[in-house]
Amino acid sequence: MKVAGRPTRTIWPVSDGSGDVEILDQTRIPHEVVTVRLRTLDDAARAIADMQVRGAPLIGVAAAYGVCLGLREDASDEGLERAYDRLLAARPTAVNLAWALKEMIATVRNRPRAERLPVAYARAAELAEADVATCEAIGEHGARLIAGHAARKAGRVDVLTHCNAGWLAAVDWGTALAPVYKAHRAGVDLHVWVDETRPRNQGASLTAFELGQEGVPHTIIADNTGGHLMQHGQVDFCIVGSDRTTRTGDVCNKIGTYLKALAARDNGVPFYAALPSSTVDWSLTDGVAQIPIEERSPEEVTRMTGRTASGEVVSIDIGAPGSPAANYAFDVTPARLVSGIITERGVCTADEAALAALFPEHRPANSISR
Ligand code: MRU
């Protein structure tokens, strides 16, 4: 997608032969667009933990390149294990991280040390390209849903999204926003309600930035606004991303997603999750009970960062001094509240049979095939 009219991705290997990797620093957007060079395993793990790169698909690809940087320092089995453990611990909820690390280990482990590094870089690049293709396919499938809705409504389609599940959360295109971009480029008249997404404001800062750069009409709203808009017929449907989805269709996503799904159900608004199959944790059946929810620093709740009128980017305290805060980063929307899941292979209902029909290679070995 574009920044200042130029096609841009979120992560890429530097083309100077150094083996370093560059990222867009997402902690600086929308106030500045700057890149950061990752040189070491520690750089990669820190970039993920501090959310310079974030969003489930991007975390996976960043971890894959992190393995490359780790192997540059130590290509032994111990070095590989150290990279795996360090990167896996960076963020606990998005399963794409573990998925990408397993892909990298499987590629590298049985190779002689001398071969490991080039093979690792090649595999990381493949994962990045596959992510782009997967997100684009999600976009095509989701855009058909949006276009169908536009045709039935014969007017502007209002989409509500939460957090940032756009191209900044992936390598390119994004998940929840890929259908929006595809539909917009196809000429569908649409508008996006952008939940600000406290406490880190990924909606107000990242989603709004992306949509603005692509010229997609949008409006930032406070997180608590969606229910009101839905009651007044101002939301045609919701599309969110996911950090981990169970094989039964429970969707874990940014904190606050569940409340939007409840409001959507109460108002008959379709609620879709758009996700690559690498986000499905095929071992899980109960999202609320089984998905680990990341708890981040309370300071993210009590402090806010923004730009002053003079252009300086500053952080300020907004909480009562001394009051404790809690910062749960994700919640789980049970499958019963999800109207459909938009994947790279098509759209299905949020249940085990439908997901298994789209991805039969993940069907549990002992289940009866249909
Ligand atoms: O904490 P973040 O910013 O990494 O959380 C991101 C989200 O919750 C996204 O909605 C999710 O990763 C889906 S992304 C394509």
Side-chain angles (χ1 to χ4, degrees):
M1 307 305 284
K2 292 192 249 57
V3 175
R6 286 181 41 204
T8 310
R9 286 187 173 183
T10 52
I11 189 167
W12 58 92
V14 183
S15 58
D16 62 2
S18 65
D20 295 347
V21 174
E22 262 179 344
I23 56 168
L24 283 185
D25 183 349
Q26 301 196 22
T27 61
R28 311 277 285 274
I29 296 172
H31 307 302
E32 291 169 299
V33 178
V34 292
T35 60
V36 166
R37 200 168 174 124
L38 309 179
R39 296 184 168 85
T40 64
L41 168 62
D42 264 10
D43 287 347
R46 242 193 328 266
I48 296 170
D50 294 348
M51 295 176 62
Q52 287 178 305
V53 283
R54 30 72 48 209
L58 177 56
I59 290 173
V61 173
Y65 278 115
V67 170
C68 303
L69 298 176
L71 287 173
R72 234 167 40 157
E73 294 159 23
D74 181 355
S76 68
D77 284 354
E78 297 72 42
L80 191 57
E81 255 172 56
R82 192 173 318 115
Y84 180 89
D85 291 343
R86 176 92 174 83
L87 291 160
L88 188 65
R91 291 196 73 189
T93 298
V95 77
N96 307 60
L97 178 58
W99 171 84
L101 287 171
K102 282 180 195 141
E103 290 286 321
M104 294 301 287
I105 298 289
T107 305
V108 168
R109 188 188 279 135
N110 295 321
R111 305 247 173 200
R113 270 169 79 149
E115 282 179 20
R116 286 182 170 181
L117 198 52
V119 165
Y121 274 106
R123 185 69 185 128
E126 273 173 18
L127 293 183
E129 291 309 320
D131 184 64
V132 177
T134 295
C135 287
E136 188 165 5
I138 288 171
E140 302 283 358
H141 295 301
R144 278 195 281 278
L145 277 181
I146 296 178
H149 203 92
R152 282 192 298 280
K153 190 181 177 191
R156 183 178 95 167
V157 178
D158 287 290
V159 177
L160 182 141
T161 193
H162 191 69
C163 194
N164 173 259
W167 71 270
L168 289 168
V171 178
D172 205 348
W173 286 106
T175 57
L177 293 188
V180 167
Y181 291 132
K182 287 280 180 185
H184 178 69
R185 287 185 182 184
V188 174
D189 181 14
L190 54 79
H191 162 264
V192 182
W193 296 111
V194 179
D195 282 355
E196 60 175 347
T197 317
R198 286 279 294 139
R200 289 187 64 106
N201 296 317
Q202 290 96 325
S205 57
L206 304 176
T207 297
F209 172 81
E210 281 192 23
L211 292 170
Q213 294 290 324
E214 284 291 320
V216 178
H218 63 282
T219 306
I220 301 170
I221 48 174
D223 281 333
N224 300 323
T225 311
H228 165 78
L229 292 174
M230 291 184 217
Q231 283 176 327
H232 289 268
Q234 294 189 71
V235 180
D236 292 302
F237 60 90
C238 305
I239 314 183
V240 299
S242 175
D243 292 81
R244 196 184 294 221
T245 293
T246 65
R247 70 166 198 262
T248 49
D250 294 343
V251 171
C252 180
N253 192 51
K254 180 54 56 190
I255 192 80
T257 302
Y258 171 48
L259 294 178
K260 293 299 141 65
L262 284 172
R265 175 54 55 95
D266 195 42
N267 290 283
V269 174
F271 186 93
Y272 285 94
L275 51 106
S277 54
S278 54
T279 297
V280 182
D281 186 336
W282 300 96
S283 70
L284 303 187
T285 53
D286 181 343
V288 174
Q290 296 174 311
I291 296 179
I293 300 297
E294 177 180 14
E295 287 182 53
R296 296 184 60 85
S297 162
E299 272 209 349
E300 292 182 351
V301 176
T302 58
R303 287 184 75 75
M304 281 184 101
T305 300
R307 190 169 51 190
T308 65
S310 65
E312 196 190 355
V313 176
V314 294
S315 286
I316 54 162
D317 287 317
I318 58 166
S323 290
N327 187 7
Y328 297 94
F330 300 95
D331 61 24
V332 173
T333 299
R336 66 188 149 75
L337 298 177
V338 179
S339 313
I341 296 184
I342 308 168
T343 75
E344 70 270 29
R345 291 197 193 158
V347 183
C348 68
T349 50
D351 61 70
E352 184 160 7
L355 276 165
L358 270 189
F359 298 95
E361 67 273 32
H362 292 291
R363 208 188 288 271
N366 58 356
S367 74
I368 300 158
S369 54
R370 290 147 40 99

